[in-house]
Amino acid sequence: MHDEFLMGNAAIARGAIAAGLNLIAGYPGTPSTEVLENVAKSKREGTYVEWSVNEKAALELAAGASYAGARTMVTMKQVGLNVASDPLMSLEYVGIKGGMIVMVADDPGPISSQTEQDTRKFAEFSKLPCFDPSSVQEAYDMISDAFELSEKYGTPVFLRSTTRVSHGYASITVKDESEYYTNTPEGFVKDSKRWVIFPRLSFANHKKIEARNVELSKIFSEYEKNKICYTDEAVTRKNIGEAAGDNDQAVEAAGRLGVAAGGVSFAYALEAMKVTGKLPIFKVSTPFPFPEEKALEFLKDKSEVLCLEELDPVIERELTYVCGKYNLDVKIRGKLTGDTVNAGENTIDSIIGDIQRFIDKDGAAAEAQNADSGAASAGTGASNAGTANAGSANAGAGSATGTGSAEPVPELPVRPPVLCAGCPHRASFYAVKKAMQGRKTVFCGDIGCYTLGNAMPLDMVDTCLCMGAGVNIAQGVGHIEPDTKCFAFVGDSTFFASAITGVINAVYNQADMTLIVLDNSTTAMTGHQPHPGTGHTMMGEIVAKINIEQILRGIGLTTVETIDPLDMKGSIELIKRVADEPGVKAVIFKSPCVAIVPPNKALHIDQEKCIKCKKCIREIGCPGIVINDGRVEIDTSLCTGCTLCLLVCPVGAIS
């Protein structure tokens, strides 16, 4: 260990490097920018660093690398989190393998931003653990803790900094290079039940997340950086005595005051108390899940607590909740009660004023105001509680009605969703599967009909997170496993919606991947709505079609091929050739959705030729092919005459 004089963002970067960082991606935004730049300057051999085209692309890229076991970090400012929120909310449900830190720098003031947003509130909203350092040293130390927690619980973790921590300088103790942790990624292990998001998976994982956060609240109550700093009575009487009028009763009352603070406001409070007098202080370093048991320990002998924090009343609301839950007669003061400002940065001077007013013997008016607002809140809470109880009762009644029927209701058969009979996506997936047979691959899917390509027997969607994410996840896996052939499947509508930026990111950052555009000329899964490639609008106007191939060439792709996936032989040969080309390349499988074109004549199986090998069923899984009394038959009510099964049959029994 040795000491260095570092900026907060440099300390975060060095902490990540020391903790075994394998990949970092981000989008520049003050006050976060220097983290990634410092990693680039000091990184270890093998660490990948990237400025992505936006925060969404950066987070998806890091997610893919994390799926492969890499330790990753994403950097952004608070408004950038809005851009990254789409994949982040889904990633919480899917989870990760290698540790993943989402470093967000909030900008109280705001100094260089269009909003004052508090990432601690976003942590609660997304149900993700959040670390909130109060100093440069703590920012360095917390990185290692965050990575370990992330891997233990398989979840992304927030590191929320603020301007004065990110841009402050301090002499801190850092590890020598010989003490650095080395993380060796295991590699991506295919498991569609884990990495492909479906409603059933989200429902099951939601319950696990809620249980995990209850556990984390207890663990964070024992976390060394969530602590209660006490002062002895003599010091308390000496410093508070003057403000309390040297009255013993007043001094005793003042002795039951306390302060709760988080982030840089904790450091300010310690400085301020050199002027105002010392008070017990509760330091909150993990605002979510909130360390409830530690808070209860702090509150048990207090009469009033002043909350000092930037930006929202997060600690204040949590302490108010704890008081209500445990029936504690403690007045919680802060932004909600008008005792501290509810916008802008805190400073040492502003906190000196906050604490002086708090311990002033003439604070009775503020106390009365707080009591009134507390009573109103209690009334509202009681009303809401009554509503919740009524809802529970109604739910119980519904259950009783359902189970009280005269005859038991038989269980419905499990019918998982599948691609429609004749869907061209089936042919596209099958062509890629046959072309890549026996090779190390990862197939990153996306949101749409083609997500169903994960079902057996195709089994061609290894990951699915949110719209457009597959393009960046493929890049993330590729950076960690360069010997893997990475494919990203995206539909034509999703391409326009959110995948274009991912392709630009791949070209700009020199990724090696194959983009597969499944162009069926509509937004199929949601009901066949138009998109820029269809040539018409919802106003009924005929407009110029936006050509996907031209867009890809304009972005910088030199290899862009278009083919009908029902040309099976040509499609397989094309994929084999294109996949081995370096860099970013694309194949557009163009064939209309079966729901928007009239079907062809249904196919027929010649039972005399059929050898009952069932290859047509085992390999493509079309619902139009059925077994009836041991015979393989085609359901003419479903068959659209796409001819895919004809191409698969080894004996030519289908015509």
Side-chain angles (χ1 to χ4, degrees):
M1 304 286 280
H2 64 281
D3 291 344
E4 288 192 37
F5 188 66
L6 294 174
M7 175 198 270
N9 281 342
I12 292 171
R14 293 286 293 279
I17 293 169
L21 182 71
N22 301 110
L23 178 147
I24 184 171
Y27 187 78
T30 304
S32 72
T33 307
E34 297 86 1
V35 175
L36 190 141
E37 292 177 339
N38 274 274
V39 172
K41 183 171 64 176
S42 306
K43 66 183 176 70
R44 301 164 77 183
E45 184 178 354
T47 303
Y48 179 76
V49 183
E50 167 180 309
W51 279 132
S52 302
V53 295
N54 65 13
E55 294 84 357
K56 170 179 162 66
L59 195 137
E60 291 163 354
L61 178 102
S66 178
Y67 290 173
R71 282 195 167 185
T72 66
M73 179 182 282
V74 191
T75 66
M76 65 197 73
K77 66 187 297 180
Q78 85 282 4
V79 288
L81 184 56
N82 301 335
V83 182
S85 62
D86 181 18
L88 184 66
M89 295 300 292
S90 296
L91 189 61
E92 167 60 348
Y93 284 86
V94 172
I96 46 87
K97 182 164 66 177
M100 181 175 179
I101 295 176
V102 182
M103 185 273 164
V104 185
D106 287 358
D107 185 20
I111 298 170
S112 61
S113 305
Q114 57 270 52
T115 66
E116 282 192 305
Q117 293 173 221
D118 193 325
T119 298
R120 296 175 303 162
K121 293 294 289 184
F122 202 101
E124 178 187 8
F125 173 55
S126 60
K127 306 181 190 301
L128 291 172
C130 179
F131 290 78
D132 188 16
S134 64
S135 66
V136 175
Q137 180 71 64
E138 205 162 63
Y140 177 88
D141 295 337
M142 278 185 174
I143 292 291
S144 178
D145 297 339
F147 270 130
E148 290 177 10
L149 184 136
S150 175
E151 289 178 347
K152 180 177 179 179
Y153 290 94
T155 180
V157 172
F158 278 117
L159 181 81
R160 179 255 190 177
S161 181
T162 54
T163 303
R164 301 307 170 186
V165 172
S166 284
H167 286 172
Y169 279 81
S171 179
I172 66 169
T173 302
V174 299
K175 293 179 179 178
D176 298 327
E177 286 193 30
S178 60
E179 301 173 280
Y180 286 3
Y181 173 76
T182 299
N183 181 63
T184 304
E186 175 190 10
F188 181 76
V189 178
K190 296 193 177 193
D191 182 358
S192 62
K193 292 181 180 178
R194 179 176 182 183
W195 304 122
V196 179
I197 191 168
F198 275 113
R200 186 175 180 181
L201 174 69
S202 297
F203 173 75
N205 285 352
H206 188 182
K207 293 190 288 185
K208 294 177 183 178
I209 290 165
E210 296 293 353
R212 176 203 73 197
N213 285 345
V214 171
E215 179 182 343
L216 283 178
S217 174
K218 299 179 183 297
I219 290 173
F220 283 161
S221 290
E222 301 298 323
Y223 183 46
E224 61 180 6
K225 290 180 173 56
N226 289 321
K227 59 185 179 181
I228 302 170
C229 307
Y230 287 106
T231 54
D232 60 64
E233 185 181 357
V235 173
T236 302
R237 290 179 65 91
K238 175 184 177 183
N239 289 282
I240 298 177
E242 183 177 347
D246 280 328
N247 178 288
D248 286 347
Q249 188 173 357
V251 170
E252 182 181 354
R256 296 184 62 208
L257 302 179
V259 169
V264 74
S265 297
F266 170 77
Y268 291 166
L270 292 182
E271 289 296 314
M273 285 181 190
K274 295 176 182 178
V275 177
T276 65
K278 295 181 180 179
L279 291 172
I281 183 167
F282 175 33
K283 176 173 174 285
V284 181
S285 296
T286 56
F288 186 83
F290 195 72
E292 185 176 305
E293 292 179 358
K294 181 66 73 173
L296 185 62
E297 177 188 343
F298 175 71
L299 292 169
K300 63 185 179 182
D301 60 350
K302 302 294 181 295
S303 60
E304 296 185 46
V305 171
L306 177 67
C307 299
L308 302 170
E309 53 189 322
E310 297 173 336
L311 286 152
D312 292 339
V314 172
I315 297 172
E316 185 179 356
R317 289 184 188 276
E318 291 289 351
L319 293 183
T320 301
Y321 166 78
V322 172
C323 289
K325 180 177 179 179
Y326 295 97
N327 197 27
L328 300 177
D329 185 17
V330 183
K331 295 181 178 66
I332 306 299
R333 300 190 181 279
K335 298 176 185 293
L336 297 176
T337 60
D339 290 274
T340 63
V341 296
N342 57 10
E345 284 191 297
N346 290 333
T347 65
I348 293 176
D349 289 339
S350 72
I351 283 183
I352 288 174
D354 293 338
I355 296 176
Q356 283 179 331
R357 287 190 299 275
F358 177 57
I359 63 176
D360 195 310
K361 66 178 184 296
D362 296 323
E367 178 178 336
Q369 178 185 352
N370 189 37
D372 291 342
S373 62
S377 299
T380 304
S383 173
N384 290 339
T387 303
N389 290 337
S392 301
N394 290 338
S399 299
T401 302
T403 57
S405 57
E407 296 182 8
V409 179
E411 289 188 11
L412 293 174
V414 177
R415 292 191 178 98
V418 295
L419 294 169
C420 298
C423 176
H425 298 336
R426 181 178 286 105
S428 302
F429 281 126
Y430 186 70
V432 177
K433 184 175 186 176
K434 297 300 287 184
M436 291 292 104
Q437 202 163 20
R439 305 187 68 175
K440 187 179 180 183
T441 55
V442 61
F443 303 116
C444 299
D446 220 296
I447 301 297
C449 293
Y450 48 93
T451 308
L452 302 176
N454 83 303
M456 300 299 286
L458 288 174
D459 192 23
M460 283 293 290
V461 176
D462 296 324
T463 75
C464 182
L465 184 65
C466 68
M467 288 188 72
V471 181
N472 295 299
I473 288 175
Q475 296 170 54
V477 174
H479 287 308
I480 300 303
E481 297 185 80
D483 60 335
T484 299
K485 289 294 180 184
C486 299
F487 287 77
F489 292 88
V490 65
D492 46 337
S493 182
T494 301
F495 175 83
F496 292 112
S498 55
I500 293 176
T501 52
V503 183
I504 295 172
N505 194 76
V507 175
Y508 167 59
N509 286 296
Q510 304 178 73
D512 186 3
M513 60 167 288
T514 304
L515 175 70
I516 304 293
V517 181
L518 305 173
D519 185 353
N520 62 1
S521 302
T522 188
T523 311
M525 178 166 273
T526 54
H528 307 99
Q529 293 79 18
H531 62 64
T534 62
H536 63 278
T537 72
M538 281 300 288
M539 294 294 290
E541 300 165 325
I542 304 300
V543 296
K545 293 182 180 180
I546 308 298
N547 187 287
I548 294 177
E549 182 172 339
Q550 290 177 356
I551 290 174
L552 291 172
R553 293 192 184 280
I555 288 172
L557 275 71
T558 56
T559 299
V560 183
E561 303 279 356
T562 301
I563 193 170
D564 185 336
L566 293 173
D567 175 3
M568 185 54 59
K569 182 179 178 181
S571 295
I572 292 173
E573 291 175 353
L574 177 62
I575 292 296
K576 285 181 178 178
R577 174 171 60 81
V578 169
D580 284 330
E581 293 184 16
V584 184
K585 49 274 180 186
V587 172
I588 302 172
F589 282 121
K590 192 169 181 62
S591 184
C593 173
V594 293
I596 62 173
V597 294
N600 296 316
K601 186 178 180 180
L603 299 181
H604 170 73
I605 296 179
D606 185 335
Q607 295 299 328
E608 291 185 2
K609 291 184 178 179
C610 179
I611 60 174
K612 298 181 176 58
C613 67
K614 301 184 180 66
K615 185 177 181 181
C616 55
I617 294 176
R618 287 186 289 104
E619 296 213 359
I620 61 175
C622 177
I625 308 175
V626 298
I627 297 177
N628 188 12
D629 292 331
R631 291 154 49 104
V632 180
E633 297 181 351
I634 290 177
D635 185 339
T636 56
S637 68
L638 293 176
C639 181
T640 65
C642 75
T643 73
L644 179 60
C645 58
L646 181 153
L647 300 171
V648 170
C649 180
V651 295
I654 304 175
S655 61

